[in-house]
Every structure is written in structure tokens, then in C-alpha cells.
Amino acid sequence: MPDSAQTAGGTTPAPADLTEGRPVYVIGGGPGGLAAAAALREQGIRAVVLEKSGKVGASWRRHYDRLRLHTTRRRSALPGLAMPRRFGRWVARDDVVRYLEKYAEHHELEVVTGVEVSRIDRTPDGTGWQLTATGGRMLTGRAVVVATGHNHTPRIPDWSGRETFTGNLVHAADYRNPGPYAGKDVLVVGIGNTGAEIAVDLVEGGASRVRIAVRTVPHIVRRSTAGWPAQGTAVLVRRLPVRLVDLAGALMARIAVPDLAAQGLPRPDTGLYSRVRAGAIPVQDVGLIDAVKGGRVVPVAAVESFDEDAVVLADGERITPDAVIAATGYRRALEGLVGHLGVLDARGRPVVHGGRTPKQAPGLYFTGFTNPISGMFREMALDARKIAKRLARRG
């Protein structure tokens, strides 16, 4: 695909020299990358967004049909452009895509599509960054913002016997709607927000049986209580002591969430915020509680292995679903891009984000690789401002 630059006037040929004036390169045309580019432009800094697909918001275009932001419209806007009121309080996937398209147009962002960056290195003179990209391109910039996304590469565990399974096994990234599963017995593996919502979608879409495999029992929270969004509480408690938030969370759960132990979902034995600090985000209820309580979604033990038409669970039970949807998460896949720079932790996550850069890699920024309870869009907006202000101070 030839690269092109998207601006407010539509699609025009990309500038012949993308390194003119050593711009700041932003890798990824999703919400984090667009927010960073807009904030940089506001500071008078030229930013070039490099997007490997043909359009901005590529990952959002691939999400399942019923997905909505779990954060409010008002708290999900990116710098410099509010989300339209007509989108409602919980913004639908298609409206998120429309917003990102409008955002790039509104800020007249320089977005170059069809260009994938495979490696980032310091320039030989140490004054900037050199990007190796498709088509043999070698681009040089004064700084780089990596915004390739938290959900980059689908991950399916290497279950024993997986290749022999005679049913249909797909990752949640390939799930769009319940249509193909009507009348079928489906096992959803993973009870994070994606797995929980897909399970409810399947029930409402006519699947004959829906089970959900649970390795670690999640905290479940109401998306809003008496009109107050869970995100609002998350923003307020972020700086409070973990133990205090754990205690408050346990009290709220007993008030707002019924005990589902009899249905196979006991209350977690570790605190909500302790889990968050370890990287586990609570599940926002969009119908799971009622579905489990009513026996329409049945929790089962974690998947241990596959054996032809059977799925073997950790408790020894063997089940024979028609289809298995693995909501088992994603890899950030940053190793090839920046792994040689020593800027990733043992789990492949950037050691810093926002306005901070690694000591050994000044001028290299990351955004969108955390999953905070206060909302990813909100945090990416804050990151964008911090990155832009930091670069503006550097001159």
C-alpha cells in the first residue's frame, strides 16, 4: 500500500522528505498517537504520525460490534476536541472511529498511512532517532512517541492438544457478533472485560449454551451506581492508600454486587486495588451479573488442554463445545521495535510512560501501554499533554 498523508483536506501525496526539519515521529494512528500529535502541534512542534494500516483508529475498527467505551464520553475526549453529545454517555465503537477520524481532520494532523516501523535506533551522532520502516525507509526524527497500542498482537496460550481440536477455536480479536454462533454451544475463555461482554453478547444473540472459563475470579463493579460512573470513583481513589481502597471496594461490592458463589463466581480473596496495582482491571458489568445469576452464562474451571472434540478443564471436567473464543489478552510486541534499547521490563512493558523518557533513551516516549482504572482514553490525553510540554521545554 502506498503511503499517504491525511490532512483536513483529505488524502494527498505524502511529502517527499519526511525527515525535513527532524520532526517528532509518532508511531501508531490510534487514540494515543493522535492525541500526542495534536498536543505537539498545539506547542508548535511538527509531528508526523506513521500508521501501518490504511486508516486511523485501525484497532477500533476491528473490535466486536457491541463494544462501547466503559468510560464516560466527557472523560474520554482527547486534547482539543470534545466528543459530540449525540454519542451518548457510553460511546459505541463506530462512534469512537468517527471521532478519531474527525480528530485527525480537526487538528490537521500529518498522518502517513501504509508505513510500518520495525526498529528504532539512536542516530549515529546521538542527537536524534532513526526509524527503519517499510520499503527500505530510514527516517530521522528529533524524538519518537511509541503509541502502537496495549492490544497489539492477539495471544492464545499454547494449550496442549490445541492443534487437534475439531471445534472452532478463535481469539476474541476475530469475534464480531453472535450471528455465527446462534444455536451453538460456546466456551469463552477468560473473564476480563472482553470475555465477559462477549459471553453476554452470545447469550443475547441466541447461542444455545454459553460457558466462561475462569482462572482467577475477577472483581465485578457496576458501570454506574445511582448515576455515578465507576470511572469517577476510580479517578478519585488513584492516589489513596491501596489498603483503604481495597476496604472501600469490598464494602461497595457487598452493597452493589450480589454473591454469585453458588453460581461459580465467589468474591475474590484479594482486594480490588491490590489487583489493579498488579495489572488486573475489574470487570465492569454490562449484563454479566444477571446472566450468571440466571444461569445463562455458566462459569467453569480454567482450560487445561484440548483433546480432539473435548476441552479438558483444570478440575478434570471434559466438555465438548462447538466453538471456543479465547479472550486471553494481547502482547504489546515491542521487543523487535525497542527491545534492544533496554527500555522494557520483564513483561515487555515500557519502563516509563507519558512525559518521562528512559535514562538511556532520552527523547523516546511511550503512551497507551497501561490499562488504568481511571480510563485509558483519559490517561492517554494526560500523557499527550505531558509529552508535548516536555518536548517544548527541550526546544
Side-chain angles (χ1 to χ4, degrees), residues 373-385:
I373 57 174
S374 52
M376 186 175 285
F377 272 56
R378 178 181 181 274
E379 295 304 316
M380 286 188 293
L382 294 174
D383 278 356
R385 299 282 196 199

Side-chain angles (χ1 to χ4, degrees), residues 199-200 203-204 209-211 287 290-298:
V200 172
V203 166
E204 295 176 354
R209 185 177 192 178
V210 178
R211 286 171 283 201
D290 288 344
V292 170
K293 194 174 181 180
R296 293 175 296 141
V297 171
V298 178

